[in-house]
Amino acid sequence: MYTFNSKEELERYIKDSVMTSTEVIEYLGVSRAGLKYLIGENQIKPFKEEKTTRLFFRYDVEKIKVRRQT
């Protein structure tokens, strides 16, 4: 469990640890269809999904990038 001493500390953690679909697409160099494929193949899973928004943990995205480079 994480404990944050201020709102700013929490915001910094979220900005450093969470990525939107758009950020993931840019980071991995894939299209929206490519991201949907990765999700459909269970290679990555958003931890939160709403109508037009998906959020991913940066750690998971970085693991995919490493796998794609090898």
Side-chain angles (χ1 to χ4, degrees):
M1 176 70 90
Y2 294 96
T3 304
F4 301 98
N5 296 317
S6 66
K7 181 181 174 187
E8 291 78 19
E9 194 175 300
L10 172 60
E11 288 174 353
R12 187 172 36 251
Y13 174 79
I14 292 170
K15 287 178 183 175
D16 290 346
S17 303
V18 175
M19 297 176 82
T20 65
S21 296
T22 301
E23 291 171 325
V24 172
I25 288 166
E26 290 175 9
Y27 184 75
L28 294 179
V30 298
S31 63
R32 284 211 179 272
L35 178 58
K36 284 183 108 176
Y37 175 82
L38 292 172
I39 293 168
E41 292 292 310
N42 293 318
Q43 293 184 39
I44 190 168
K45 184 176 187 320
F47 71 86
K48 179 149 178 90
E49 285 189 78
E50 296 296 327
K51 290 181 183 178
T52 61
T53 304
R54 288 183 176 136
L55 298 177
F56 301 84
F57 287 114
R58 179 177 294 276
Y59 174 80
D60 296 335
V61 177
E62 289 174 345
K63 283 194 313 187
I64 293 223
K65 184 157 187 164
V66 168
R67 261 188 293 181
R68 291 172 59 94
Q69 290 175 341
T70 58

